[in-house]
Amino acid sequence: MRSVLVTGANRGIGLALVRQLAARGDHVIATCRQGSEALTATGARVESPIDVGDAAALAALAKRLDGTRIDQLWLNAGVLERDALGKIDAQGFDGVRRQIEVNALGPLRVAQALLDRLGCGSKIAIITSRMGSIGDNDSGGYYGYRASKAAVNAIGKSLAVDLAPHGVTVLLLHPGYVATDMVGGHGDISPATAAERMIAVVDRSGIEQSGSFLHSNGSALPW
């Protein structure tokens, strides 16, 4: 049985990932800051409260998982705050820092805390965004979100290089424009569709694709 851990699992894309991974028979460990009835209903092992910015909580989680190999590590937890040039006050800059803390440093903290749980053949899927693409940015704005996703792309690429000798694959995945609470329910696809597509990408990808920045439809995205 494959063992899978998903962060930010209580709603949206994270919840959809947990539902589908559990439904196909994987042993799913779902982490989140606050649980939900919907998450409990999946039958996954729920670890809460887990904040990806809390190093002590992650260290404690690693201890509880002692002896558990993680075959797929889905780093999904994230936040989005809107900021516009000329209107970024002190509170706005706090929001920029918060997005970098959660969206960029969070995945690195989790990956490092659970490093000993990974082995040859394990896969790390970082849920990023094409909004972190510098080459694709033709609309500006969203300074904190764009910066945090560009940073996690760089972090993911370094993880791919560092973990290649250990046979661990690292993928950077843009789920698409997904209708979640984060974007006010707007979007082109549902969380379930995004999850299904990304699971398929991860399942078929190997060490040769490690470090790739991919759309959930499988196409490569510009850095």
Side-chain angles (χ1 to χ4, degrees), residues 11 28 30 42 45 50 62 72 77 81 87 104-105 116-117 126 131 133 178 189 192 202 212 219:
R11 62 178 184 170
V28 182
T42 66
R45 170 180 169 179
I50 298 290
Q72 291 186 4
E81 299 187 27
K87 299 180 180 179
L105 300 183
D116 291 343
R117 308 277 76 78
I126 299 175
M131 289 182 72
S133 167
V178 187
I189 60 174
V202 171
S212 298
S219 62

Side-chain angles (χ1 to χ4, degrees), residues 4-31 36-46 74 76 179-180 190-193 195-196 199:
V4 181
L5 189 145
V6 181
T7 67
N10 66 326
R11 62 178 184 170
I13 295 171
L15 178 58
L17 285 166
V18 171
R19 282 174 171 156
Q20 293 183 31
L21 293 165
R24 74 179 190 177
D26 291 348
H27 171 63
V28 182
I29 303 157
T31 77
S36 66
E37 291 183 6
L39 182 58
T40 301
T42 66
R45 170 180 169 179
V46 178
W74 290 82
N76 166 73
T180 64
S190 68
T193 297
E196 181 180 11
I199 290 170

Side-chain angles (χ1 to χ4, degrees), residues 49-61 101 106 109-110 113:
I50 298 290
D51 188 321
V52 297
D54 187 339
L58 293 173
L61 173 64
E101 182 70 31
R109 279 198 185 91
V110 176

Side-chain angles (χ1 to χ4, degrees), residues 25-102:
D26 291 348
H27 171 63
V28 182
I29 303 157
T31 77
C32 54
R33 289 185 297 169
Q34 183 175 351
S36 66
E37 291 183 6
L39 182 58
T40 301
T42 66
R45 170 180 169 179
V46 178
E47 290 283 350
S48 173
I50 298 290
D51 188 321
V52 297
D54 187 339
L58 293 173
L61 173 64
K63 286 185 178 180
R64 290 195 296 276
L65 296 178
D66 186 37
T68 300
R69 171 189 161 99
I70 297 175
D71 297 300
Q72 291 186 4
L73 176 59
W74 290 82
L75 302 176
N76 166 73
V79 295
L80 179 150
E81 299 187 27
R82 292 163 177 79
D83 38 53
L85 186 63
K87 299 180 180 179
I88 309 175
D89 55 13
Q91 185 176 358
F93 277 106
D94 286 342
V96 171
R97 281 187 285 271
R98 182 162 49 250
Q99 289 173 92
I100 292 172
E101 182 70 31
V102 175

